[in-house]
Amino acid sequence: MRRIIAALATVLLAFPALAAAPTDADTRAWWRLIGQLSSDAMQGRDTGSPGHARAVDLVIAEFKAARLQPMGDGGGYRQTVPLHEARVESAGTSFAVRQPDGRTTPLRFLHDVAIRATDALPARISAPLVFRGYCGAAEVGADVAGKIVLCFGGRRAGMPGAAARLDAVAKAGAAGLINIDDIGYTEEQPSWFWPVAYARSIGRRGAAPPTHAALPVIRLNAAALPALLTGSGHDAGALLAAGVAVQPLPGFDLPARLEAELTITQRDFTSDNVLALLPGTDPALAGETIVIDAHLDGYGIGEPVNGDAIYNGAFDDAAYVATLIRLARARAGKGFRRPVLFAVFTGEEKGVLGSRWFVDHPSVPREQLAATITLDAIRPLFPLKILTVIGSDQSSLMRNVEAVAAPLGITPRPDLEPVRGMITRTDAAPFLDAGVPAIAFMFGYDPGSPEEARFRTWYRTRYHKPQDDIGQPIDFTAALAFNRFFDALTANVADAPERPALVKAATDGRPPGR
């Protein structure tokens, strides 16, 4: 309790304009749960870690106390997901730029450079560098065999995407690909996300390897570009400015080589989803299950930021696991008309692994999955006046949102920054791909408003960082408002006379349900 009180004081000092400590018992209980789930004792709840297992135990205990029925493997609450990890270890890994005269400039692993981890990576990289602009197929050309191709890693309209760059470079016989951060991508400024927590890739055990798995794919902090361009006659600032402006970029060879030593490890392991059912009350709707979900995993322990190496994941996503628990406790076994499946997924941060496993191995027949409402990093940083609805145009669920939001004084809006692809980055995506209506949310704001500034500051200083902890700013009144909205929305969808329906194609462009 002392820690919770101290954390509340820290919040108020850090952001005095926000609401005072929660005054209602429900929000106080919610906040205590967040404190437990995101405490240092949980070690960031990394997928498959001991801390994640402890958090699973806590969630199961809460669901049992709420009289939810187990819906996992073998009659229990756990659904076990088999996983495989490739990791490039910090110990023994180094990167450097070597000039023709033998001088070397080290690049800090996870600060200046990061690398896609695969089982097939070489232990040593040594190759000359070339720059090929945006790295469209025509730009890469046929003269890069055995060389590492440096590309402006565009993430905006009119630029080749990451997959297109990789394919062009691999087909040309290159020895590697370096993507320079697109600093013009202001929706999520790349500089906000250094240092990188670690270099790991986790996927379903036995799955096919990633495309061009043996080709090193390296991410370069734009601030480190001058080290690679030394002696080339080209200015890093001018190249970056041209890339930001989507102007033509030159292609040229560099005098330097990239040299790297990689320590690569791999392992098989498991991690658990938690699945629990609140049975429905209407036999005619027993075959229409509503899923409400949040993800339990965080980033775990990674590269320290300001001396802190535990990525606690309080808002992302302990807060909304707590919201599910709080709703289950409030219902105390009293069902809605439709069954409601409480799903706490693992592996979201590693590529929506737990939710995809569940959709492929559902604990009710897939055709009985009527809809899902996903809660992920909603961020109550300011009053809840606008709610961004992720996936608003993909199903009839937007009508349910509008019906619930209006009397609460909340204006629902579609995502105004679709370039970020948020719907594909949440646990809603596997459901949509399977033809199941799904939505997710974020607190919304008007462009240029103080609320937007607060949101961007949070992204810059706390998103996927150790600073997403119990001591951060929070508007408790806004949190209470969202939790009440979520309660009402769950009831609206679960008690509605009509089953939700898709209204457009799934997230990957395929027809719904295929």
Side-chain angles (χ1 to χ4, degrees):
M1 179 59 76
R2 287 197 188 114
R3 176 170 181 169
I4 299 296
I5 293 170
L8 290 174
T10 301
V11 167
L12 297 176
L13 289 171
F15 222 167
L18 296 182
T23 56
D24 65 292
D26 192 52
T27 304
R28 286 198 300 272
W30 176 77
W31 187 244
R32 283 194 296 271
L33 278 168
I34 298 168
Q36 290 177 276
L37 288 167
S38 65
S39 72
D40 284 356
M42 298 296 185
Q43 297 180 305
R45 308 182 311 282
D46 200 358
T47 302
S49 69
H52 185 277
R54 289 192 290 274
V56 164
D57 289 342
L58 187 154
V59 172
I60 290 173
E62 291 288 344
F63 282 171
K64 283 181 178 178
R67 295 161 53 190
L68 298 183
Q69 297 180 4
M71 290 294 287
D73 299 337
Y77 288 90
R78 293 174 173 83
Q79 182 185 46
T80 299
V81 184
L83 300 170
H84 177 80
E85 175 190 81
R87 180 175 185 135
V88 178
E89 304 284 354
S90 293
T93 292
S94 63
F95 286 81
V97 180
R98 182 176 294 276
Q99 299 298 333
D101 62 4
R103 288 180 298 124
T104 61
T105 302
L107 299 173
R108 292 183 66 197
F109 184 46
L110 305 180
H111 292 256
D112 297 324
V113 291
I115 188 167
R116 179 183 67 161
T118 76
D119 294 343
L121 279 178
R124 185 171 187 273
I125 303 169
S126 179
L129 291 163
V130 298
F131 181 79
R132 292 295 183 265
Y134 300 102
C135 289
E139 290 175 289
V140 171
D143 62 343
V144 301
K147 301 173 183 177
I148 296 173
V149 183
L150 191 61
C151 306
F152 187 85
R155 297 186 62 184
R156 290 167 290 139
M159 300 179 179
R165 292 192 299 271
L166 175 57
D167 193 55
V169 167
K171 286 180 177 178
L177 165 65
I178 299 178
N179 290 305
I180 307 164
D181 277 352
D182 179 1
I183 60 174
Y185 182 63
T186 55
E187 289 84 356
E188 292 182 352
Q189 177 57 248
S191 63
W192 299 347
F193 305 117
W194 292 98
V196 176
Y198 33 65
R200 301 167 60 196
S201 296
I202 297 177
R204 188 180 297 188
R205 191 184 307 166
T211 304
H212 307 301
L215 189 75
V217 179
I218 297 165
R219 178 185 166 201
L220 181 72
N221 188 335
L225 180 58
L228 280 70
L229 296 184
T230 299
S232 70
H234 291 269
D235 178 71
L239 285 178
L240 291 171
V244 168
V246 201
Q247 295 174 349
L249 290 171
F252 54 90
D253 293 358
L254 287 78
R257 300 174 64 89
L258 182 75
E259 297 187 346
E261 302 285 341
L262 306 179
T263 300
I264 305 159
T265 60
Q266 51 185 285
R267 66 180 177 121
D268 290 335
F269 66 107
T270 62
S271 192
D272 292 333
N273 295 329
V274 181
L275 305 174
L277 185 72
L278 180 62
T281 61
D282 188 340
L285 301 178
E288 300 180 7
T289 300
I290 306 301
V291 180
I292 55 176
D293 71 83
H295 71 88
L296 186 59
D297 64 301
Y299 263 59
I301 298 174
E303 188 72 1
V305 179
N306 297 329
D308 189 352
I310 297 178
Y311 290 60
N312 301 84
F315 278 7
D316 191 10
D317 195 33
Y320 297 100
V321 173
T323 294
L324 296 185
I325 292 171
R326 183 199 54 79
L327 175 59
R329 286 284 208 164
R331 298 300 297 186
K334 181 182 178 181
F336 302 98
R337 290 182 66 196
R338 288 183 176 83
V340 174
L341 181 67
F342 289 68
V344 177
F345 292 128
T346 189
E348 189 274 348
E349 300 290 7
K350 305 302 188 288
V352 296
L353 300 174
S355 55
R356 198 164 294 283
W357 181 265
F358 170 79
V359 169
D360 289 344
H361 305 83
S363 52
V364 299
R366 184 184 290 183
E367 63 272 14
Q368 293 184 15
L369 297 175
T372 187
I373 303 171
T374 293
L375 302 181
D376 187 3
I378 294 157
R379 308 178 188 102
L381 299 169
F382 41 79
L384 179 55
K385 299 176 182 177
I386 301 168
L387 191 63
T388 295
V389 183
I390 309 299
S392 62
D393 60 344
Q394 303 215 17
S395 76
S396 64
L397 289 168
M398 186 62 172
R399 294 199 294 270
N400 302 87
V401 171
E402 291 168 341
V404 170
L408 297 177
I410 300 168
T411 301
R413 286 184 185 170
D415 186 5
L416 299 182
E417 297 176 349
V419 69
R420 295 169 62 202
M422 292 303 298
I423 193 62
T424 67
R425 293 163 53 180
T426 73
D427 285 317
F431 289 90
L432 284 167
D433 288 344
V436 180
I439 51 171
F441 308 98
M442 291 190 302
F443 270 49
Y445 47 79
D446 288 321
S449 66
E451 289 80 11
E452 179 183 11
R454 194 168 288 180
F455 175 84
R456 304 289 185 199
T457 297
W458 187 90
Y459 246 85
R460 185 178 68 252
T461 59
R462 299 182 187 275
Y463 180 62
H464 288 174
K465 289 183 171 63
Q467 287 69 36
D468 179 13
D469 61 14
I470 198 69
Q472 68 184 301
I474 181 171
D475 185 324
F476 286 109
T477 301
L480 174 62
F482 179 82
N483 285 341
R484 285 177 172 170
F485 162 82
F486 173 69
D487 288 356
L489 178 64
T490 300
N492 184 281
V493 175
D495 289 337
E498 294 185 359
R499 176 175 177 150
L502 286 178
V503 297
K504 67 173 292 185
T507 58
D508 63 358
R510 293 175 295 165
R514 292 183 59 189

